[in-house]
Amino acid sequence: MPEPPIEEELAEMARRAGELAEGEPLRPTLLAFADLVSGRCARIGDQYGDWDRNAGDHIRAVMHGFPALLPKPRAGE
């Protein structure tokens, strides 16, 4: 089953945190905040793994829709 679009996930997290009412759309400022937080997390993740493939790349792939940055499947997966 495919993952929901990241914006939907972010809106749901904002609702759980009390920042959005049910049915209220994701505000541009909340999206910008989420982008800043995920960027910081990705920079932390850059310290783990290879220079070419690391946790930061995986975070960027998921949060910003760059499938080329997703981890390559391991043999047998």
Side-chain angles (χ1 to χ4, degrees):
M1 173 179 257
E3 295 284 324
I6 194 63
E7 291 82 5
E8 287 180 24
E9 275 192 81
L10 293 170
E12 182 55 34
M13 286 186 262
R15 286 184 189 98
R16 288 193 313 246
E19 286 299 317
L20 286 180
E22 191 61 40
E24 183 181 0
L26 187 62
R27 296 187 303 272
T29 52
L30 282 175
L31 189 55
F33 178 75
D35 185 51
L36 291 168
V37 171
S38 67
R40 179 66 177 117
C41 293
R43 287 191 309 276
I44 292 168
D46 287 339
Q47 300 175 52
Y48 300 90
D50 298 331
W51 182 251
D52 294 330
R53 288 283 175 195
N54 56 50
D57 290 331
H58 194 165
I59 292 166
R60 288 180 193 92
V62 172
M63 297 301 293
H64 300 289
F66 294 117
L69 293 177
L70 285 170
K72 294 178 181 169
R74 294 183 178 153
E77 288 184 9

